[in-house]
Amino acid sequence: MALAALAGYVDAVGFVATGGFFVSFMSGNSTRVAVGLADALSAARIAGGLIAAFVVGVMAGSLVARRARRGRARAVLLLVAALLACAAGVGHVAAPAFAIPLLAAAMGAENAVFEREGEVSIGVTYMTGSLVKLGQRLTAALLGEQPLAWVPYLTLWLGLVSGAVAGALAY
């Protein structure tokens, strides 16, 4: 939940700072690319750049996780913290626009915290899958199966939303 809250916080800050682009929600940026290609190429370039930075962050997080083996979560979180610190420094010294790709890279890297055998077991920067699982588990609970299996998915979503509220207020 805390990592989802961090993702929500950083995404809200990035969203407000960029005027409507995301640093952790790449489905939203994918839609922005598509709409931008039809309507405003500058928006498509910004969204595409953020997607590229996110993917580079995923790659960096995966590489750190694979190299660290033991203590991989700690190593990945150190990478995320370093990227966020660099973003804060760059945003303070230079223009905030230079910090935004670092935020996207940090959010991409954060997903490697829960990487197992090359696959992410818990997505902390995207919620569509978690909301689908929440609905499926609520249905199962209504049918008398696993009455509390939906709670982790609701908790993850609430973490992201509460972090986003905090990020928007802080910005």
Side-chain angles (χ1 to χ4, degrees):
M1 183 178 181
L3 291 176
L6 174 65
Y9 185 98
V10 172
D11 205 32
V13 168
F15 185 84
V16 175
T18 62
F21 294 91
F22 303 94
V23 295
S24 76
F25 180 56
M26 294 304 119
S27 294
N29 283 339
S30 297
T31 300
R32 294 294 311 253
V33 165
V35 171
L37 289 173
D39 189 42
L41 287 178
S42 62
R45 281 193 290 273
I46 293 167
L50 288 170
I51 292 167
F54 184 89
V55 170
V56 167
V58 170
M59 293 170 66
S62 292
L63 183 61
V64 166
R66 288 178 184 212
R67 295 284 187 229
R69 295 183 192 237
R70 289 185 194 214
R72 73 174 153 227
R74 180 182 304 121
V76 170
L77 289 173
L78 285 171
L79 171 63
V80 171
L83 288 167
L84 291 174
C86 287
V90 167
H92 184 69
V93 173
F98 294 114
I100 300 299
L102 291 169
L103 294 177
M107 294 300 92
E110 185 184 34
N111 286 285
V113 170
F114 296 108
E115 187 176 291
R116 302 291 181 263
E117 298 178 22
E119 297 293 325
V120 174
S121 59
I122 301 171
V124 292
T125 65
Y126 47 92
M127 288 296 126
T128 302
S130 292
L131 291 172
V132 168
K133 289 179 182 180
L134 172 63
Q136 291 171 329
R137 298 313 184 276
L138 282 168
T139 300
L142 288 172
L143 296 173
E145 306 164 13
Q146 301 175 324
L148 297 177
W150 56 272
V151 173
Y153 300 104
L154 177 62
T155 303
L156 193 60
W157 180 79
L158 288 172
L160 184 93
V161 171
S162 64
V165 169
L169 290 172
Y171 188 85

